[in-house]
Amino acid sequence: MGRNYYIDTRGRGEHPVTFTEAVINGLATGGGLYVPEHIPALTLDEIAELAQLPYAQRAARIYQAFDIDLPADTIEALMAQTYGDNFDDERICPITTLNANTHVLELWHGPTSAFKDMALQCLPRFFSASAKQLREQGKLDHDFMILVATSGDTGKAALEGFCDAEGVSIGVMYPDGGVSDIQFKQMATQRGENVQVWGVRGNFDDCQTGAKNVFGDEAFAERLLKEHHVALSSANSINWGRLMPQIVYYVSAYAQLVADGKLGPGDELDVCVPTGNFGNILAAYYAKRMGTPLGMLFCASNENRVLTDFINTGTYDIAERDFVLTPSPSMDILVSSNLERQLFELTGRNAEAIAGWMDDLREQRRFRVDETTFAKVREQFVADSIDNATCLATIKAVFDEHGYLLDPHTAVAYQTAENLRGENPVLVASTAHWAKFGDNVYRALHDLEPGAPLPADVAALSGCELNELIARETGRRDIPRGLAELDTLPIRFDEVIDGGTDDIEKAVTRFLAN
Ligand SMILES: *Cc1c(COP(=O)(O)O)cnc(C)c1O
């Protein structure tokens, strides 16, 4: 057990660490991201056999293939808790087939109705188990505070995952005014004694940069340890313990489609992912590396099309780029952290090149990869961006044709798949339940422009009431309970802070002092 170590994408970490250490550390000590030294390979038979197992055991199999340093029975027990009746479908992430060439992987059956649950029901359990084991090994003697920057969905999923976990508290920052009413209420009503939520003046990148700066402040870290017996850690998608659970559902979905007779064993399946921080699509890449017969990976962007432009040109450039608010806020992002891991892999793990590009990005707000790396990018990925109006039109068109309701993130992916598809069937990653984004689903169904005001009587409704209206109009009876009950819960958190390092550090200290 535990022969697979984790290395730093920038090559500056002192020495490789174990899985449990990588989960606890979050960011690599050298400033890069952790990746496992070895990516395990599965045979086609091993993949196909997964379909015979419940999802929790599929996950456990894959973690064991990664040879993580937790006992096998611990992993199995944790996965049984992670993927159990906290999900509203026993298949955990069922696949809806719209036609022979379009399969929708529904990743939102967890407690917060967004795909982040797939990873964030899992990571806190890995985190607690890792901390426990490191304590027993005498490598750890303090508690933790998880600090999360969120564009909406991560925050709630992390709060729900870490709520009342032992020896861990959690603080979440979201862009004030940059999340939907439902997302706001999901976070602001969070139960639990160890949780805190702040709105931040600015956009998601301001939140993320703020968090990164706080993580990089060594004097602050020392003070927290000394005065509060606490170290900061991250649940953002830069944590390997969050990325790995996402690999599982791509391997699992392939196995399921074969078992259901929708794919022949070995047939190629393309995958289309609505992309923000590049975690989800990177997981598909790793699933492919492990032997899953995936074909092209379609990177779907909204109007914040920095990734699409990168995949099409080889230059990642945010120097002149404006940040746009779109109907798919969880993809509204300029700095896409997990791209670093992807480039590390595509350069044959050239840490020096990665460190150079990341320096360029920080100093010049752009970097350009060499031609060899660009060719590798083009072998794996194609990309397209969908504008706001097309996103809403797609929701309407798919509802009219299939009676199936997409959320705006999934709509971006669906339309990208239509634009880019070749011969292979496509698995579209569906990342949120429609009822998380009722205002834009309403606009879509009523042919309103993106950003257009809702009719006065509709605008007066709460997010929950609006969802009930949509459910009545469409005949859908699938509003998840966690969303339906939000108006009945008290608002616990409504503080708004500035995003400077100092402001966040003060807020963290205030919370820990209570
Ligand atoms: C987080 C999120 C995304 C983007 O996923 P990444 O892993 O950051 O690329 C897409 N859709 C929804 C609904 C999300 O919550």
Side-chain angles (χ1 to χ4, degrees), residues 113-116 151-154 183 204 237 242-243 246 249 273-282 307 328-331 333 336 338 407 409-410 429-433 436-437:
S113 307
F115 100 99
K116 302 289 193 296
S151 53
D153 291 337
T154 307
Q183 285 178 319
F204 171 58
S237 60
R242 232 188 96 178
L243 195 77
Q246 304 185 3
Y249 50 72
V273 183
T275 302
N277 228 344
F278 216 77
N280 199 0
I281 196 167
L282 175 67
L307 282 166
S328 45
S330 295
M331 302 158 70
I333 161 168
S336 196
N338 267 305
D407 96 285
H409 304 77
T410 310
S430 177
T431 51
H433 191 281
K436 286 202 79 167
F437 302 96

Side-chain angles (χ1 to χ4, degrees), residues 99-118:
N99 59 51
N101 282 318
T102 309
H103 307 286
V104 180
L105 177 61
E106 296 178 353
L107 298 170
W108 36 258
H109 287 271
T112 79
S113 307
F115 100 99
K116 302 289 193 296
D117 287 330
M118 295 302 299

Side-chain angles (χ1 to χ4, degrees), residues 445-461:
L445 295 173
H446 290 264
D447 293 318
L448 299 174
E449 304 275 314
L454 297 174
D457 54 332
V458 178
L461 301 176

